[in-house]
Each structure stands twice: as C-alpha cells, then as structure tokens.
Amino acid sequence: GENVEQHPSTLSVQEGDSAVIKCTYSDSASNYFPWYKQELGKGPQLIIDIRSNVGEKKDQRIAVTLNKTAKHFSLHITETQPEDSAVYFCAAGQNFVFGPGTRLSVLP
Amino acid sequence: SAVISQKPSRDICQRGTSLTIQCQVDSQVTMMFWYRQQPGQSLTLIATANQGSEATYESGFVIDKFPISRPNLTFSTLTVSNMSPEDSSIYLCSVVWGGGNTEAFFGQGTRLTVV
C-alpha cells in the first residue's frame, strides 16, 4: 500500500517569509495529491491539490509542485501571515493515506 | 460548497459503553469515509462507508468494534463499541462528491474522551 512521509514535522518562520513542506510517497500509481490545513479544534480543510498530469499549480500565495519521477510533492506558502499557523497534512493514494503532518508557526 | 455536519461535536463516555456518531451531508455524495485522529497525530482511515452494503474496513479495524451504516447517499453513522480509554480520539467523516471529482472534504469531527 501507499506510504507517505512528510518533512519537516515542525516549521517556524517569520511573518512575510516563505514556508515549504515536502512529502514523499511510495506508490507510483498514485495520481492525486491534496494538501490540507487543520486549525485547532477543526476538521482538515482542503487548500490545494494537484494531479499527476501537471507539475505545478498555484492559488494566490499557495502553490504545489509535483515530481513524479522522484515521487515527491511540496507545498509552498509565500508571504506567510499569522493566520497561516496550523498543522498541514499531505495525502496520496486511492484511499487518501495522510502524511504525519507539519506544524507551521508564523511569528509576527 | 455543501455542508458536512457531524454529531455530536464532542462527548465524554464511560468505558464499556458505545457511542454512535452521525455524519449528514446536505447533498448526495459518491463516497463517505470515516477517519480516526489520535491526539497530536495524523489521520488514519477506518473504513469506507458503502451505501446499502457493508463497509470496507482498513487493516486493524473491524466491524464488531466500529460498525458503520450508510442507508442513503447523504447520511452515515459510525459506532465506537465497548469503548476503552485508548479509543479517545477525534473521529472524522469525509466525503467525495464524485462526478469526476476526487476532492475529499471533512466534517468538523467528533472529539471523544473515554474515562
């Protein structure tokens, strides 16, 4: 089955800086890669996703890149704001196997 | 986007008892899933709720412990049976609308504490 790793587990950045979170997956058949943001006491919120037929997707300050050959995909957040502070999860595979999560703290 | 409602939002239960969690969607969906999120951990898929038939369970989860119903395309329940403190977790309902879409959306979760 699918195995998803995620790094780093925690990330602190200054407001306005960029943040990058990387995930690797094991199943070369996986073709859909979402990213979720989870705030305290809430369910995960889908923030961006990418399919295997594209290498990059951008939505305002958020972008995701995919390298199918290397089997990794990354979340990029630019111009970070305090409200970006949350736990971020990647997922892959038909049954949405989740990575262990990254706790992002944006320091004002 | 459609609304996913979970009830209860939280509960404190005595060990040995059972709790049924409801997931209601305000439009028909293709797929419904149940996840467990232990404190400070990631999400683990418990099972896929199949409409009109038995749920499909992931390794490590069994029907006797986590019976699931899905009587129609907008509603599902997860029961946590014979609870122990180790069952204390957040339980999350997730849906996929289908029609070519693969995005999965989550409810707010049910925070369960077993004492």
Side-chain angles (χ1 to χ4, degrees), chain A residues 6 32 36 38 40-46 49 51 57 87 89-90 94-101 103, chain B residues 33 35 37 40-45 48 58 90 92 94 96 100-109 111:
Chain A
Q6 184 173 344
Y32 175 66
Y36 289 86
Q38 187 175 30
L40 192 63
K42 297 184 178 181
Q45 175 191 5
L46 178 66
D49 55 15
R51 302 181 194 280
K57 182 178 178 180
V87 180
F89 293 98
C90 62
Q94 186 175 0
N95 285 346
F96 287 87
V97 176
F98 281 79
R103 182 174 299 277
Chain B
F33 306 93
Y35 284 82
Q37 186 175 27
Q41 302 297 311
S42 186
L43 291 82
T44 301
L45 181 63
T48 302
E58 297 300 307
I90 299 172
L92 293 147
S94 173
V96 174
N101 297 318
T102 53
E103 296 90 343
F105 298 90
F106 285 83
Q108 291 299 297
R111 183 178 294 273

Side-chain angles (χ1 to χ4, degrees), chain A residues 56-104:
Chain A
E56 183 174 359
K57 182 178 178 180
K58 189 174 181 179
D59 182 3
Q60 299 181 20
R61 296 187 298 109
I62 295 173
V64 54
T65 58
L66 171 64
N67 184 327
K68 281 219 73 179
T69 302
K71 290 191 282 189
H72 65 71
F73 58 109
S74 298
L75 176 69
H76 305 254
I77 306 175
T78 59
E79 301 173 24
T80 54
Q81 302 167 3
E83 51 265 38
D84 294 329
S85 296
V87 180
Y88 291 81
F89 293 98
C90 62
Q94 186 175 0
N95 285 346
F96 287 87
V97 176
F98 281 79
T102 296
R103 182 174 299 277
L104 173 64

Side-chain angles (χ1 to χ4, degrees), chain B residues 39-115:
Chain B
Q41 302 297 311
S42 186
L43 291 82
T44 301
L45 181 63
I46 297 171
T48 302
N50 299 310
Q51 192 250 332
S53 64
E54 189 173 293
T56 304
Y57 289 85
E58 297 300 307
S59 176
F61 298 96
V62 295
I63 188 171
D64 290 347
K65 177 66 175 178
F66 297 101
I68 288 171
S69 78
R70 190 181 171 193
N72 55 50
L73 294 177
T74 64
F75 185 77
S76 178
T77 66
L78 167 74
T79 299
V80 186
S81 303
N82 188 25
M83 288 183 285
S84 66
E86 293 72 35
D87 294 320
S88 298
S89 286
I90 299 172
Y91 292 86
L92 293 147
C93 169
S94 173
V95 305
V96 174
W97 264 268
N101 297 318
T102 53
E103 296 90 343
F105 298 90
F106 285 83
Q108 291 299 297
T110 296
R111 183 178 294 273
L112 170 63
T113 302
V114 183
V115 297

Side-chain angles (χ1 to χ4, degrees), chain A residues 5-24:
Chain A
E5 297 183 357
Q6 184 173 344
H7 298 281
S9 56
T10 60
L11 178 60
S12 294
V13 300
Q14 290 292 327
E15 182 176 359
D17 288 350
S18 295
V20 181
I21 303 170
K22 181 178 177 178
C23 282
T24 60

